[in-house]
Each structure stands twice: as structure tokens, then as C-alpha cells.
């Protein structure tokens, strides 16, 4: 009886295990079928997407991996750059970047520790450095010598410049300065010019008052040769208040006494020599006249002042009256 019960229980247990195994196999088959259906559905959707978006499919097939990350980064950087430009912060951003890299270079031993400036006379060292854009934060490593030179020669006082970087920390700036040559008046403005006609600065400083004065369009470029010629006749030169360039062709002299000398277009030296001789022999420039016209080569015309003209007219009247009385 006991043996039969154990046999029955064993058979039930084996049947239960068989049922469990069969159920597990069935569940596995169902899961595999479900996974296969899901995989086929995903593949079908992918094929459909590729067929509907061939460009995307081509890009995914041929473009390098992580290109999307790179493009996204570039777009973000471009957006930041656009914001800086639109917001008016570009100059500040560039300045900040330059200061940062110069600070690193200075820490690495490329700080500008000494500066030499051969040729400097009128401008101070600080003025030259400021004109060249060299500051206390500048490093020799990142200093652009060409840019410094361009900034220097853009200033009218500097005719030429040479910039040399001697590592690790010496800077040489050799400059050729222009010299104040004359004062130039044109269209109501008075400027200080160099001998090549370059306008150096507006005339405001009193120490330029002794410079000769030239007036008129084109006078700034023609003044050097004319004033050199005028210097050969010191009596005329010392009496001259201003040289006026007329019609961009010839010169007039306005003397300190108010007398106008109208010089010819050609043979100016000959006219000045004649004028000097007449003044020496006949005191022409000291007479009561307002203008001397020397424009015609074969004659000299003198215009009397109003008082002198009246006196001359009265003199002629007296002579005529006396002549008539004598005839009577």
C-alpha cells in the first residue's frame, strides 16, 4: 500500500514537471515569435523611413560618424559669435582674447622689458608706444611688428618707421619724424604742415607762430620750393607777412606793411631781384603805395594808396592852375 502511494506520487510529480517544461517551451516559442514580429516591424519601419527619406539614408550611410555633434557645436559657436557681433561686443571680445594670450606669453618670459627708439626727437617714448598700440600688457611673442608700423606711419608726424623684435624681451622702434615747416591757411582753417605738404596738426600752439605763412589751394605742396627761392632775398623775406598762391599758378606776397606784390607766373627769381633793386635804390617798398604788379614781363605797375592818389591829384591841379595863370 505504501509502495503504491509512493509510485503514484512520483508519477504525479513527473507529470507536473513535464507540464511545466512543455509550458516553458511554449512560452519561449511565443516570445521568439513575438520578438521576430517586433524585429520585422522595426525593419519594415526603417525601410519605409529610408525609402521616404533617401537623403537622410544617404547621409547616414556615407557621412562620418559624430558629424552631427560637430555640426551642432559649430552652430552653437556661430550663434555665440553672432550674438557678440550684434550686441556690439566684438571689440571687447577681441581685446579680452588678446589680453589673455599676452598674459600667458608674459608668464612664459616674453614680456617687453626694454625699448629703444632711435630717430625720435619731437615725440616722447610714451607717445610713440601709444601710437603703435603697445601697452604694458603687450607681449613680444604676439606683437605684430607690421601692424605697429602701419599704426605709426598713419600719424602725420611720422614719415617712416621700422619695428624690430629681439627675443625674449627687447623692442626697437626706429622712426623718421617730419618737421614743422610752415603754416598753411585754406578755407578758413590754419594748419601746421611739413615741407612735403603733409598736414601735421591744426595750428594752436604758439611756438609755431614764427613759421612762414602760406595761403591758398595747392600752397602746401608748392611752398617748399617758393620759400627756398624767397630766402635768397632776405630783405623781401623779412618784410613778408604771407605768401598767397593764386589760381594754383603763381604767388602774391602780402608784406607786413599791407603792400601787395603780384609776382609773375614765370621768372619769379628775376622779379624778386628787380624788386630788391628798386627797394634798395628808390625805397619802393617804403613809399605810400598799396600794390606793385609785376605780372607783365616788360613793365611794373604801382597803385598808390588813397591818400597818395588824392595828394597826387591835388598836385596836378595846382600845376595846371599855375600854368593857366602863367599863360594869362
Amino acid at each position: 500500500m505504501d509502495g503504491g502511494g509512493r509510485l503514484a506520487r512520483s508519477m504525479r510529480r513527473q507529470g507536473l514537471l513535464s507540464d511545466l517544461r512543455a509550458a516553458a517551451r511554449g512560452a519561449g516559442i511565443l516570445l521568439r515569435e513575438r520578438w521576430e514580429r517586433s524585429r520585422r516591424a522595426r525593419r519594415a519601419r526603417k525601410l519605409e523611413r529610408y525609402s521616404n527619406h533617401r537623403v537622410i539614408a544617404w547621409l547616414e550611410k556615407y557621412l562620418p560618424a559624430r558629424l552631427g555633434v560637430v555640426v551642432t557645436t559649430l552652430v552653437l559657436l556661430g550663434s555665440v559669435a553672432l550674438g557678440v557681433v550684434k550686441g556690439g561686443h566684438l571689440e571687447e571680445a577681441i581685446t579680452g582674447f588678446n589680453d589673455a594670450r599676452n598674459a600667458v606669453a608674459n608668464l612664459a618670459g616674453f614680456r617687453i622689458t626694454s625699448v629703444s627708439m632711435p630717430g625720435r626727437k619731437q615725440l616722447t617714448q610714451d607717445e610713440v608706444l601709444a601710437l603703435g598700440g603697445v601697452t604694458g600688457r603687450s607681449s613680444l611673442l604676439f606683437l605684430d611688428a607690421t601692424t605697429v608700423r602701419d599704426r605709426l606711419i598713419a600719424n602725420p608726424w611720422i614719415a617712416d618707421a621700422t619695428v624690430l623684435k629681439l627675443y625674449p624681451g627687447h623692442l626697437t622702434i626706429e622712426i623718421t619724424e617730419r618737421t614743422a615747416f610752415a603754416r598753411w591757411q585754406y578755407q578758413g582753417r590754419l594748419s601746421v604742415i611739413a615741407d612735403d605738404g603733409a598736414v601735421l596738426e591744426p595750428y594752436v600752439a604758439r611756438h609755431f607762430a614764427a613759421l612762414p605763412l602760406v595761403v591758398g589751394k595747392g600752397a602746401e605742396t608748392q611752398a617748399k620750393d617758393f620759400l627756398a627761392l624767397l630766402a635768397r632775398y632776405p630783405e623781401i623775406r623779412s618784410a613778408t607777412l604771407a605768401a598767397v598762391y593764386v589760381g594754383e599758378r603763381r604767388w602774391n606776397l602780402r608784406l607786413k606793411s599791407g603792400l601787395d606784390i603780384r609776382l609773375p607766373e614765370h621768372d619769379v627769381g628775376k622779379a624778386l631781384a628787380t624788386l630788391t633793386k628798386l627797394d634798395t635804390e628808390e625805397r619802393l617798398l617804403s613809399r605810400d603805395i598799396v600794390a606793385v604788379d609785376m605780372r607783365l614781363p616788360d613793365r611794373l605797375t604801382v597803385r598808390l594808396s588813397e591818400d597818395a592818389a588824392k595828394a597826387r591829384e591835388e598836385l596836378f591841379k595846382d600845376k595846371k592852375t599855375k600854368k593857366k595863370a602863367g599863360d594869362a
Side-chain angles (χ1 to χ4, degrees):
M1 185 72 179
D2 292 335
R6 284 195 296 274
L7 180 60
R9 286 195 296 272
S10 176
M11 292 179 66
R12 286 196 299 271
R13 188 181 303 113
Q14 290 177 359
L16 179 60
L17 292 174
S18 297
D19 292 340
L20 291 174
R21 283 195 292 270
R25 284 195 297 272
I29 292 171
L30 290 175
L31 289 174
R32 281 198 301 272
E33 289 180 353
R34 185 171 181 179
W35 183 81
E36 287 292 336
R37 286 196 300 271
S38 176
R39 189 170 64 85
R40 286 194 294 271
R42 289 196 302 271
R43 181 177 296 177
R45 288 194 297 271
K46 187 174 182 181
L47 290 174
E48 182 180 1
R49 185 172 69 250
Y50 279 4
S51 63
N52 292 335
H53 305 283
R54 294 181 180 180
V55 175
I56 297 176
W58 184 88
L59 292 174
E60 290 182 352
K61 182 177 180 180
Y62 291 103
L63 290 182
R66 300 186 182 279
L67 181 62
V69 176
V70 175
V71 172
T72 302
T73 303
L74 292 177
V75 170
L76 291 175
L77 291 176
S79 299
V80 172
L82 181 62
V84 170
V85 174
K86 289 291 186 180
H89 304 296
L90 180 60
E91 186 174 352
E92 295 178 7
I94 295 175
T95 301
F97 173 76
N98 290 335
D99 288 345
R101 69 174 186 172
N102 281 327
V104 173
N106 287 335
L107 290 175
F110 294 100
R111 183 181 299 278
I112 299 174
T113 56
S114 59
V115 178
S116 59
M117 290 186 184
R120 180 185 62 80
K121 297 177 182 179
Q122 301 177 89
L123 299 172
T124 66
Q125 178 170 301
D126 290 340
E127 286 174 336
V128 174
L129 292 176
L131 290 172
V134 182
T135 68
R137 297 186 299 272
S138 301
S139 67
L140 197 67
L141 181 62
F142 292 114
L143 187 70
D144 189 338
T146 301
T147 300
V148 173
R149 179 184 180 276
D150 291 342
R151 289 176 175 175
L152 289 173
I153 62 177
N155 185 275
W157 280 102
I158 300 177
D160 197 7
T162 302
V163 181
L164 297 175
K165 301 195 300 181
L166 303 177
Y167 290 101
H170 183 74
L171 178 65
T172 298
I173 302 177
E174 183 176 359
I175 62 175
T176 301
E177 292 183 346
R178 288 187 173 94
T179 303
F181 173 71
R183 295 170 295 154
W184 174 46
Q185 180 179 320
Y186 179 60
Q187 293 184 339
R189 293 189 296 269
L190 194 59
S191 307
V192 179
I193 61 172
D195 59 0
D196 60 357
V199 177
L200 301 178
E201 63 179 59
Y203 172 64
V204 291
R206 291 185 177 180
H207 60 270
F208 294 128
L211 295 175
L213 174 63
V214 294
V215 181
K217 182 180 180 181
E220 77 281 15
T221 57
Q222 301 299 319
K224 181 179 180 180
D225 292 338
F226 178 73
L227 292 179
L229 177 61
L230 186 61
R232 300 177 188 175
Y233 307 92
E235 297 84 359
I236 308 297
R237 173 66 186 87
S238 60
T240 299
L241 176 65
V244 182
Y245 200 45
V246 182
E248 298 184 67
R249 297 183 300 106
R250 63 175 192 83
W251 292 90
N252 283 351
L253 295 179
R254 170 61 64 89
L255 303 189
K256 296 174 183 178
S257 62
L259 176 61
D260 283 329
I261 309 295
R262 298 169 185 174
L263 296 173
E265 184 175 353
H266 305 291
D267 293 329
V268 181
K270 181 179 179 182
L272 291 173
T274 301
L275 190 64
T276 302
K277 182 180 180 181
L278 289 173
D279 185 53
T280 301
E281 296 177 353
E282 302 182 21
R283 308 291 295 174
L284 177 67
L285 302 184
S286 302
R287 293 189 176 186
D288 196 4
I289 57 179
V290 294
V292 177
D293 193 340
M294 307 182 72
R295 289 176 293 177
L296 297 178
D298 57 345
R299 72 185 64 179
L300 182 148
T301 305
V302 175
R303 184 158 65 90
L304 299 174
S305 67
E306 185 176 348
D307 292 339
K310 288 181 179 180
R312 186 170 182 272
E313 185 178 353
E314 292 294 334
L315 179 61
F316 279 121
K317 286 181 179 180
D318 291 341
K319 287 183 178 181
K320 288 181 180 181
T321 302
K322 289 179 181 180
K323 184 178 181 181
K324 288 180 179 180
D327 294 338

